């Protein structure tokens, strides 16, 4: 019998396709913003390298590295498949209007929501010089390729906008910078405001449906667990995840949901949807066998050693000499300690589709504004 997560995704896929067959197709593609959890090849196309440019990345589904930080597909891949749309072209893999007419992915590995000046003002430094401000500028470059303002709005209106789970790298910069919990929490309104600015910009450019994806449980990531191992940190008795970081993720998501409600009231002609990703990941960590996974939901499939198979010094990070890979990634939640496996991403994508009721005809403005 197929694992529960796979069966659920197939059911959702069939339902979405049934809706699509019964209605005139609306979305011609996707506009995607985000970080490495949504990057489908931008870092690779821009630099010729990057985290996910070497084996064993991509081995499960593609058979080779594609720039996706997983053994296979990311959540975005499953969503566009379910909606019968093509995979959006990574921004740095295209040049002309024709390249981007069926969708564009601006998500970039390591990207923060906030710009480098925010971190410098606090004595910190971001991991890569890419933020949502950069992704917004790339979006405006693509829209201008469509021609007249009327053509630009026409193009944007036919594309589903997916805002990825931004903020993870911002919080990681603060955490590794040894900021206190109180100081880190002050980042939340700034990050949410940066996300709001992008959503407002795409709506202003004509977008009719925007999905804002919430943050995953930060305290369940092997990277974070290894970083705080032996420090006396508090853990959930049910899951073994770090309480303080999961509390931060929930705080972030509550602020994000309030932002979505505010935007719905301000833009009643646009469907603005919140997609919960925290609970789906928490569920498979709590009961992995229920979803067809193995009994090590807090360990990385590909990595170094130790309790969480993650080297906090990154000496044996996935893809480098000395790193090892599990024999069956489909039994793991985490691929490399930071990013999820193809199997876990499939489960999360199914949850996103169910919670937003995404299909090829968009929700009505009344529903979106409720």
């Amino acid at each position: 019998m197929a694992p529960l997560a796979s069966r659920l995704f197939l059911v959702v896929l069939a339902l979405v396709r049934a809706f699509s067959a019964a209605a005139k197709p609306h979305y011609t593609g996707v506009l995607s913003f985000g970080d490495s959890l949504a990057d489908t090849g931008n870092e690779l196309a821009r630099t010729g390298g990057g985290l996910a440019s070497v084996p064993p990345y991509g081995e499960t589904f593609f058979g080779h590295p594609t720039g996706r930080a997983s053994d296979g597909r990311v959540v975005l891949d499953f969503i566009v498949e379910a909606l019968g749309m093509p995979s959006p072209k990574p921004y740095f893999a295209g040049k002309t209007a024709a390249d981007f007419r069926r969708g564009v992915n601006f998500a970039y590995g390591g990207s923060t929501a906030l710009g480098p000046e925010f971190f410098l003002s606090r004595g910190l430094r971001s991991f890569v010089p890419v933020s949502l401000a950069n992704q917004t500028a790339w979006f405006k470059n693509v829209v201008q390729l469509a021609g007249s303002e009327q053509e630009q709005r026409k193009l944007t209106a036919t594309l589903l906008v997916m805002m990825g789970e931004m903020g993870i790298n911002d919080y990681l910069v603060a955490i590794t910078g040894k900021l206190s919990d109180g100081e880190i929490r002050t980042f939340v309104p700034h990050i949410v405001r940066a996300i709001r600015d992008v959503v407002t910009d795409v709506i202003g450019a004509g977008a009719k449906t925007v999905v804002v994806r919430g943050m995953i449980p930060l305290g369940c990531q092997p990277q974070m667990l290894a970083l705080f191992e032996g420090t006396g940190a508090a853990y959930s008795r049910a899951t073994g995840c770090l309480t303080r970081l999961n509390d931060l993720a929930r705080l972030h998501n509550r602020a994000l949901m309030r932002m979505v409600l505010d935007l719905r009231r301000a833009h009643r002609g646009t469907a603005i949807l919140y997609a919960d990703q925290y609970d789906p990941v928490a569920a498979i960590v709590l009961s992995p066998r229920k979803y067809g996974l193995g009994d090590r939901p807090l360990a990385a499939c590909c990595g170094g050693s130790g309790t969480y198979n993650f080297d906090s010094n990154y000496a044996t990070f996935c893809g480098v000499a000395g790193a090892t890979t599990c024999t069956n990634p489909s039994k793991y939640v985490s691929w490399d300690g930071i990013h999820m496996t193809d199997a876990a991403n499939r489960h999360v994508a199914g949850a996103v589709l169910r919670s937003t009721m995404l299909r090829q005809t968009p929700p009505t403005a009344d529903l979106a504004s409720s």
Side-chain angles (χ1 to χ4, degrees), residues 36-37 51 57 69-71 168-169 172 216-227 242 245 281 296-305 307-312 314 316-319 323-326 329 332-341 344:
S36 55
L37 296 183
L51 171 75
Y57 285 88
S70 177
D71 62 307
I168 295 176
N169 290 312
L172 184 57
I216 61 176
L218 294 177
C220 299
Q221 287 188 306
Q223 175 192 31
M224 299 296 191
L225 288 160
L227 184 65
L242 288 159
L245 295 186
V281 175
R296 298 191 67 198
L298 300 181
C301 165
C302 181
S305 58
T307 308
Y308 307 104
N309 198 34
F310 187 89
D311 181 358
S312 57
Y314 301 94
T316 52
F317 190 78
C318 183
T324 58
T325 306
C326 66
Y332 283 73
V333 178
S334 180
W335 164 242
D336 59 9
I338 302 174
H339 311 94
M340 292 186 291
T341 60

Side-chain angles (χ1 to χ4, degrees), residues 14-293:
L15 287 172
V16 170
R17 284 179 171 167
F19 275 124
S20 300
K24 181 180 179 180
H26 178 79
Y27 306 124
T28 59
V30 169
L31 289 174
S32 169
F33 299 83
D35 53 22
S36 55
L37 296 183
D39 188 350
T40 54
N42 270 315
E43 187 179 18
L44 177 60
R46 187 185 194 188
T47 68
L51 171 75
S53 64
V54 295
Y57 285 88
E59 67 174 16
T60 296
F61 184 76
F62 301 99
H64 58 87
T66 63
R68 291 167 171 82
S70 177
D71 62 307
R73 293 157 289 185
V74 296
V75 170
L76 180 66
D77 290 312
F78 289 107
I79 290 173
V80 296
E81 177 189 348
L83 295 175
M85 296 187 296
S87 180
K89 175 80 72 174
Y91 174 71
F92 286 100
K95 294 181 180 179
T96 68
D99 292 331
F100 301 127
R101 190 157 294 279
R102 301 299 300 276
V104 196
N105 191 359
F106 306 105
Y108 196 97
S111 178
T112 52
L114 302 168
E117 65 284 348
F118 176 89
F119 298 104
L120 288 173
S121 71
R122 288 158 176 76
L124 303 169
R125 188 177 296 275
S126 53
F127 305 121
V128 299
V130 175
S131 68
L132 280 178
N134 297 99
Q135 295 184 37
T136 303
W138 301 339
F139 161 70
K140 292 177 179 178
N141 290 342
V142 168
V143 170
Q144 288 174 359
L145 292 174
S148 67
E149 182 177 348
Q150 182 180 2
E151 288 299 315
Q152 292 175 21
R153 296 186 67 82
K154 181 180 177 182
L155 171 64
T156 308
T158 65
L159 298 172
L160 170 66
V161 179
M162 297 290 297
M163 170 57 69
E165 49 286 271
M166 290 301 294
I168 295 176
N169 290 312
D170 302 74
Y171 296 130
L172 184 57
V173 169
I175 291 165
T176 56
K178 308 298 184 183
L179 267 61
S180 68
D181 284 359
E183 290 173 313
I184 295 170
R185 285 169 176 258
T186 66
F187 281 41
V188 174
H190 296 282
I191 293 169
V192 172
R193 190 177 304 119
I195 295 170
R196 180 184 182 124
D197 288 345
V198 179
V199 175
T200 302
D201 280 346
V202 296
I203 292 173
K208 294 301 182 184
T209 307
V210 181
V211 176
V212 180
R213 290 160 55 190
M215 185 164 291
I216 61 176
L218 294 177
C220 299
Q221 287 188 306
Q223 175 192 31
M224 299 296 191
L225 288 160
L227 184 65
F228 286 96
E229 191 172 17
T231 64
Y235 298 87
S236 163
R237 297 176 70 176
T239 63
C241 300
L242 288 159
T243 303
R244 59 178 289 212
L245 295 186
N246 279 357
D247 286 346
L248 174 63
R250 283 193 287 262
L251 177 69
H252 172 99
N253 287 338
R254 288 194 297 271
L256 208 58
M257 285 186 276
R258 287 194 297 270
M259 178 209 77
V260 167
L261 290 174
D262 288 343
L263 286 174
R264 285 178 179 176
R265 287 189 285 267
H267 302 279
R268 293 190 176 273
T270 304
I272 307 169
L273 310 171
Y274 174 79
D276 173 35
Q277 297 188 137
Y278 184 100
D279 286 347
V281 175
I284 56 177
V285 169
L286 179 64
S287 305
R289 291 188 179 277
K290 179 180 177 181
Y291 300 95
L293 280 75

